[in-house]
Protein backbone atom coordinates (compact mmCIF):
# COMPACT_ATOMS: atom_id res chain seq x y z
CA UNK A 1 0.00 0.00 0.00
CA UNK A 2 1.46 3.34 -1.11
CA UNK A 3 0.47 6.41 0.90
CA UNK A 4 0.83 10.15 0.72
CA UNK A 5 0.40 12.39 3.77
CA UNK A 6 -0.46 16.09 3.47
CA UNK A 7 -0.33 18.55 6.37
CA UNK A 8 1.03 22.07 6.65
CA UNK A 9 2.22 21.55 10.24
CA UNK A 10 5.72 19.99 10.07
CA UNK A 11 5.64 18.26 13.47
CA UNK A 12 2.24 16.67 12.84
CA UNK A 13 3.33 15.62 9.35
CA UNK A 14 6.53 14.02 10.64
CA UNK A 15 4.63 12.15 13.35
CA UNK A 16 2.03 10.97 10.85
CA UNK A 17 4.65 9.63 8.46
CA UNK A 18 6.40 7.81 11.31
CA UNK A 19 3.15 6.18 12.41
CA UNK A 20 2.30 5.16 8.83
CA UNK A 21 5.67 3.46 8.45
CA UNK A 22 4.92 1.32 11.49
CA UNK A 23 1.89 -0.28 9.78
CA UNK A 24 3.15 -3.56 8.33
CA UNK A 25 1.39 -3.49 4.95
CA UNK A 26 2.40 0.10 4.12
CA UNK A 27 5.03 -0.08 1.38
CA UNK A 28 5.88 3.59 0.96
CA UNK A 29 4.95 6.99 2.39
CA UNK A 30 5.46 10.38 0.74
CA UNK A 31 4.86 13.59 2.67
CA UNK A 32 3.81 17.02 1.44
CA UNK A 33 3.33 20.29 3.30
CA UNK A 34 1.66 21.96 0.29
CA UNK A 35 -1.53 20.76 -1.38
CA UNK A 36 -0.33 21.73 -4.86
CA UNK A 37 2.78 19.56 -4.56
CA UNK A 38 0.66 16.61 -3.46
CA UNK A 39 -1.75 17.13 -6.35
CA UNK A 40 1.11 17.30 -8.86
CA UNK A 41 2.46 14.03 -7.47
CA UNK A 42 -0.90 12.25 -7.76
CA UNK A 43 -1.51 13.58 -11.28
CA UNK A 44 1.74 12.04 -12.49
CA UNK A 45 0.73 8.58 -13.85
CA UNK A 46 4.17 7.20 -12.97
CA UNK A 47 3.43 7.56 -9.25
CA UNK A 48 1.36 4.81 -7.66
CA UNK A 49 -0.83 6.12 -4.84
CA UNK A 50 -3.40 3.97 -3.05
CA UNK A 51 -4.26 6.17 -0.07
CA UNK A 52 -4.09 9.92 0.59
CA UNK A 53 -4.20 11.13 4.19
CA UNK A 54 -5.14 14.79 3.98
CA UNK A 55 -5.37 17.54 6.56
CA UNK A 56 -8.69 19.29 5.94
CA UNK A 57 -7.58 22.73 7.13
CA UNK A 58 -4.92 23.52 4.53
CA UNK A 59 -4.03 26.95 3.09
CA UNK A 60 -4.66 27.82 -0.57
CA UNK A 61 -6.21 24.44 -1.45
CA UNK A 62 -8.20 22.87 1.39
CA UNK A 63 -8.07 19.16 2.03
CA UNK A 64 -11.66 18.79 0.83
CA UNK A 65 -10.92 20.53 -2.45
CA UNK A 66 -7.68 18.60 -2.82
CA UNK A 67 -9.58 15.33 -2.42
CA UNK A 68 -12.06 16.35 -5.13
CA UNK A 69 -9.26 17.18 -7.54
CA UNK A 70 -7.40 13.96 -6.78
CA UNK A 71 -10.52 11.85 -7.33
CA UNK A 72 -11.17 13.63 -10.61
CA UNK A 73 -7.86 12.20 -11.80
CA UNK A 74 -7.87 8.92 -9.87
CA UNK A 75 -11.45 8.06 -8.84
CA UNK A 76 -10.40 4.96 -6.91
CA UNK A 77 -7.86 6.62 -4.63
CA UNK A 78 -8.81 6.18 -0.97
CA UNK A 79 -8.90 9.40 1.05
CA UNK A 80 -8.62 9.59 4.83
CA UNK A 81 -9.07 13.07 6.27
CA UNK A 82 -7.08 14.41 9.18
CA UNK A 83 -8.80 17.05 11.29
CA UNK A 84 -8.97 18.53 14.75
CA UNK A 85 -12.73 18.99 14.51
CA UNK A 86 -15.20 16.11 14.29
CA UNK A 87 -17.85 18.28 12.61
CA UNK A 88 -15.80 18.09 9.41
CA UNK A 89 -16.70 14.39 9.15
CA UNK A 90 -19.94 15.16 7.32
CA UNK A 91 -18.12 17.19 4.67
CA UNK A 92 -15.50 14.45 4.43
CA UNK A 93 -18.00 11.82 3.42
CA UNK A 94 -19.57 14.11 0.82
CA UNK A 95 -16.43 13.59 -1.26
CA UNK A 96 -16.56 9.81 -0.66
CA UNK A 97 -13.74 9.72 1.84
CA UNK A 98 -12.85 6.32 3.23
CA UNK A 99 -12.69 7.77 6.72
CA UNK A 100 -11.33 10.49 8.94
CA UNK A 101 -8.91 10.73 11.85
CA UNK A 102 -8.97 13.21 14.70
CA UNK A 103 -5.76 14.92 15.75
CA UNK A 104 -3.58 13.92 17.46
CA UNK A 105 -3.44 10.71 15.46
CA UNK A 106 -2.54 7.49 17.24
CA UNK A 107 -1.27 4.31 15.65
CA UNK A 108 -4.29 2.16 16.54
CA UNK A 109 -6.79 4.55 14.93
CA UNK A 110 -4.67 4.88 11.80
CA UNK A 111 -4.10 1.14 11.54
CA UNK A 112 -7.85 0.53 11.86
CA UNK A 113 -8.65 2.93 9.01
CA UNK A 114 -5.96 1.44 6.78
CA UNK A 115 -7.03 -2.11 7.65
CA UNK A 116 -10.49 -1.49 6.17
CA UNK A 117 -8.91 -0.18 2.98
CA UNK A 118 -6.37 -3.01 2.88
CA UNK A 119 -9.10 -5.60 3.36
CA UNK A 120 -10.94 -4.29 0.32
CA UNK A 121 -7.89 -3.91 -1.91
CA UNK A 122 -5.92 -6.95 -0.81
CA UNK A 123 -7.07 -9.38 -3.47
CA UNK A 124 -7.50 -6.95 -6.37
CA UNK A 125 -11.11 -8.02 -6.76
CA UNK A 126 -13.48 -6.19 -9.09
CA UNK A 127 -17.12 -7.02 -9.84
CA UNK A 128 -18.54 -5.86 -13.16
CA UNK A 129 -22.31 -5.45 -13.34
CA UNK A 130 -22.62 -3.03 -16.27
CA UNK A 131 -23.51 -5.24 -19.20
CA UNK A 132 -23.01 -8.91 -18.34
CA UNK A 133 -21.91 -9.95 -14.86
CA UNK A 134 -18.29 -10.91 -14.16
CA UNK A 135 -16.15 -11.42 -11.08
CA UNK A 136 -12.54 -10.46 -11.81
CA UNK A 137 -9.66 -11.47 -9.53
CA UNK A 138 -6.23 -10.03 -10.23
CA UNK A 139 -7.23 -9.26 -13.81
CA UNK A 140 -8.70 -12.69 -14.58
CA UNK A 141 -12.39 -13.55 -14.96
CA UNK A 142 -13.56 -16.19 -12.50
CA UNK A 143 -14.81 -19.28 -14.31
CA UNK A 144 -18.12 -20.34 -12.76
CA UNK A 145 -18.73 -23.95 -13.74
CA UNK A 146 -22.45 -23.65 -13.05
CA UNK A 147 -24.47 -20.78 -14.49
CA UNK A 148 -26.81 -20.85 -11.48
CA UNK A 149 -23.85 -20.40 -9.15
CA UNK A 150 -22.83 -17.29 -11.05
CA UNK A 151 -26.41 -15.97 -10.93
CA UNK A 152 -26.57 -16.70 -7.21
CA UNK A 153 -23.45 -14.64 -6.59
CA UNK A 154 -24.66 -11.85 -8.90
CA UNK A 155 -27.86 -11.57 -6.88
CA UNK A 156 -25.89 -11.26 -3.65
CA UNK A 157 -23.78 -8.49 -5.22
CA UNK A 158 -26.98 -6.73 -6.27
CA UNK A 159 -28.15 -6.80 -2.64
CA UNK A 160 -24.93 -5.00 -1.59
CA UNK A 161 -24.25 -6.84 1.65
CA UNK A 162 -27.85 -7.37 2.72
CA UNK A 163 -28.59 -10.90 3.90
CA UNK A 164 -30.69 -13.13 1.69
CA UNK A 165 -32.60 -16.20 2.88
CA UNK A 166 -32.56 -19.58 1.15
CA UNK A 167 -36.21 -19.17 0.23
CA UNK A 168 -35.63 -15.76 -1.37
CA UNK A 169 -32.68 -17.12 -3.35
CA UNK A 170 -34.75 -20.06 -4.52
CA UNK A 171 -37.47 -17.68 -5.72
CA UNK A 172 -34.90 -15.80 -7.80
CA UNK A 173 -32.95 -18.80 -9.08
CA UNK A 174 -36.05 -20.87 -9.94
CA UNK A 175 -38.23 -17.92 -11.03
CA UNK A 176 -40.92 -18.14 -8.31
CA UNK A 177 -41.42 -21.85 -8.65
CA UNK A 178 -42.64 -23.71 -5.59
CA UNK A 179 -40.03 -24.00 -2.84
CA UNK A 180 -39.74 -27.77 -3.03
CA UNK A 181 -37.40 -30.16 -1.26
CA UNK A 182 -35.47 -30.70 -4.49
CA UNK A 183 -34.99 -26.94 -4.87
CA UNK A 184 -33.66 -26.72 -1.33
CA UNK A 185 -31.16 -29.46 -2.10
CA UNK A 186 -30.14 -27.66 -5.30
CA UNK A 187 -29.55 -24.42 -3.36
CA UNK A 188 -27.29 -26.34 -0.97
CA UNK A 189 -25.28 -27.66 -3.92
CA UNK A 190 -25.04 -24.16 -5.42
CA UNK A 191 -23.73 -22.78 -2.13
CA UNK A 192 -21.11 -25.52 -1.96
CA UNK A 193 -20.12 -24.91 -5.57
CA UNK A 194 -19.78 -21.17 -4.94
CA UNK A 195 -17.55 -21.75 -1.91
CA UNK A 196 -15.37 -24.14 -3.91
CA UNK A 197 -15.11 -21.72 -6.84
CA UNK A 198 -14.16 -18.73 -4.69
CA UNK A 199 -11.65 -20.83 -2.74
CA UNK A 200 -10.04 -21.88 -6.03
CA UNK A 201 -9.28 -18.21 -6.70
CA UNK A 202 -8.32 -17.46 -3.09
CA UNK A 203 -11.27 -15.13 -2.42
CA UNK A 204 -13.55 -17.32 -0.32
CA UNK A 205 -13.94 -14.50 2.23
CA UNK A 206 -16.12 -12.61 -0.26
CA UNK A 207 -18.99 -14.93 0.64
CA UNK A 208 -20.66 -14.67 4.06
CA UNK A 209 -22.69 -17.69 5.07
CA UNK A 210 -25.13 -17.64 7.99
CA UNK A 211 -27.41 -20.32 9.42
CA UNK A 212 -30.15 -19.59 6.91
CA UNK A 213 -28.83 -16.54 5.11
CA UNK A 214 -26.17 -15.50 2.63
CA UNK A 215 -24.45 -12.23 1.75
CA UNK A 216 -21.26 -10.77 0.30
CA UNK A 217 -18.66 -8.79 2.23
CA UNK A 218 -18.72 -5.51 0.32
CA UNK A 219 -15.46 -4.35 1.93
CA UNK A 220 -13.59 -7.07 0.03
CA UNK A 221 -14.10 -5.83 -3.53
CA UNK A 222 -14.81 -2.90 -5.81
CA UNK A 223 -17.92 -2.83 -7.93
CA UNK A 224 -18.95 -0.52 -10.76
CA UNK A 225 -22.56 -0.18 -9.64
CA UNK A 226 -21.51 0.63 -6.06
CA UNK A 227 -19.26 3.39 -7.42
CA UNK A 228 -22.18 4.64 -9.55
CA UNK A 229 -24.55 4.75 -6.59
CA UNK A 230 -21.93 6.54 -4.50
CA UNK A 231 -21.77 9.34 -7.07
CA UNK A 232 -18.59 8.43 -8.95
CA UNK A 233 -18.74 10.40 -12.21
CA UNK A 234 -16.40 7.98 -14.00
CA UNK A 235 -18.70 5.07 -13.17
CA UNK A 236 -21.71 7.03 -14.42
CA UNK A 237 -19.98 7.60 -17.75
CA UNK A 238 -19.32 3.86 -18.07
CA UNK A 239 -22.97 2.95 -17.56
CA UNK A 240 -24.66 2.44 -20.95
CA UNK A 241 -28.07 1.41 -19.66
CA UNK A 242 -27.28 -2.28 -19.27
CA UNK A 243 -27.07 -3.85 -15.82
CA UNK A 244 -26.65 -7.60 -15.18
CA UNK A 245 -28.03 -8.05 -18.67
CA UNK A 246 -28.29 -11.83 -18.58
CA UNK A 247 -30.71 -11.79 -15.62
CA UNK A 248 -34.35 -10.75 -16.02
CA UNK A 249 -34.73 -9.97 -12.31
CA UNK A 250 -32.25 -7.08 -12.75
CA UNK A 251 -34.31 -5.19 -15.34
CA UNK A 252 -36.07 -2.97 -12.80
CA UNK A 253 -32.74 -1.99 -11.22
CA UNK A 254 -31.34 -1.15 -14.66
CA UNK A 255 -34.22 1.25 -15.23
CA UNK A 256 -33.64 2.84 -11.82
CA UNK A 257 -29.97 3.40 -12.63
CA UNK A 258 -30.81 4.92 -16.01
CA UNK A 259 -33.17 7.37 -14.33
CA UNK A 260 -30.30 8.74 -12.23
CA UNK A 261 -28.26 9.89 -15.22
Amino acid sequence: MNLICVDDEPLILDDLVSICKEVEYVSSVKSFSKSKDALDFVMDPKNEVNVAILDIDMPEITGLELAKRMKAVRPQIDVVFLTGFSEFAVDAFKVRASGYLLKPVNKDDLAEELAVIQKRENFGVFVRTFGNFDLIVNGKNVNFKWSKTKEFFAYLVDRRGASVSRKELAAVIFMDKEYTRSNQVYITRIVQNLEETLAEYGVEKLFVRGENSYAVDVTMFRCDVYDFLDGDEVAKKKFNGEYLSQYSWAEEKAAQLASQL
Side-chain angles (χ1 to χ4, degrees):
M1 182 183 290
N2 300 300
L3 277 61
I4 64 168
C5 299
V6 184
D7 197 303
D8 62 327
E9 299 182 55
L11 291 178
I12 292 178
L13 185 59
D14 289 344
D15 287 343
L16 180 60
V17 170
S18 296
I19 294 172
C20 287
K21 289 181 177 179
E22 293 179 20
V23 179
E24 61 178 340
Y25 41 77
V26 172
S27 303
S28 67
V29 185
K30 294 283 292 183
S31 62
F32 301 92
S33 59
K34 295 181 179 180
S35 295
K36 185 181 183 304
D37 293 339
L39 183 59
D40 289 342
F41 184 83
V42 170
M43 291 182 70
D44 188 337
K46 297 192 300 294
N47 298 323
E48 182 179 352
V49 182
N50 307 113
V51 182
I53 302 177
L54 312 177
D55 180 25
I56 287 183
D57 189 18
M58 291 286 292
E60 297 183 3
I61 304 175
T62 68
L64 292 170
E65 180 61 27
L66 178 59
K68 291 177 183 178
R69 296 188 189 184
M70 286 182 173
K71 282 184 168 290
V73 179
R74 300 190 183 190
Q76 303 311 324
I77 191 171
D78 283 286
V79 173
V80 176
F81 282 114
L82 184 63
T83 177
F85 307 98
S86 59
E87 60 264 29
F88 279 121
V90 174
D91 292 328
F93 288 107
K94 285 182 180 178
V95 293
R96 299 184 63 235
S98 299
Y100 75 98
L101 297 166
L102 291 176
K103 297 180 180 180
V105 178
N106 67 63
K107 181 183 176 181
D108 291 340
D109 289 342
L110 175 65
E112 184 177 344
E113 291 289 349
L114 295 181
V116 173
I117 296 171
Q118 173 70 4
K119 184 180 180 183
R120 184 177 65 251
E121 299 293 338
N122 191 42
F123 296 111
V125 182
F126 180 73
V127 175
R128 180 169 53 223
T129 64
F130 294 166
N132 288 332
F133 176 79
D134 280 302
L135 171 61
I136 303 164
V137 178
N138 294 325
K140 296 181 179 180
N141 284 19
V142 170
N143 178 29
F144 289 90
K145 297 179 177 66
W146 297 357
S147 62
K148 288 298 183 183
T149 302
K150 187 173 184 178
E151 183 176 3
F152 172 29
F153 189 71
Y155 186 71
L156 295 181
V157 170
D158 176 73
R159 294 299 303 272
R160 199 173 185 177
S163 295
V164 179
S165 69
R166 292 172 63 89
K167 191 171 184 178
E168 180 180 348
L169 281 168
V172 173
I173 297 296
F174 303 114
M175 301 181 65
D176 296 324
K177 290 182 180 179
E178 185 179 352
Y179 189 46
T180 63
R181 175 62 180 170
S182 62
N183 285 348
Q184 294 179 49
V185 172
Y186 193 9
I187 288 291
T188 298
R189 294 178 62 195
I190 288 173
V191 169
Q192 293 174 343
N193 184 252
L194 176 61
E195 290 177 326
E196 292 170 358
T197 300
L198 296 179
E200 182 181 342
Y201 289 84
V203 292
E204 59 273 15
K205 292 182 180 180
L206 294 178
F207 180 52
V208 181
R209 180 177 182 177
E211 184 175 347
N212 185 37
S213 64
Y214 311 99
V216 290
D217 185 344
V218 298
T219 69
M220 295 291 291
F221 61 91
R222 280 187 47 239
C223 179
D224 50 10
V225 72
Y226 297 173
D227 290 342
F228 179 104
L229 293 172
D230 289 340
D232 190 310
E233 293 300 324
V234 174
K236 288 184 176 181
K237 290 178 181 178
K238 290 182 179 179
F239 179 62
N240 63 357
E242 296 186 1
Y243 172 73
L244 299 177
S245 301
Q246 67 264 61
Y247 308 125
S248 59
W249 48 260
E251 292 175 356
E252 183 177 348
K253 180 71 165 286
Q256 292 173 354
L257 294 172
S259 69
Q260 296 183 40
L261 293 175

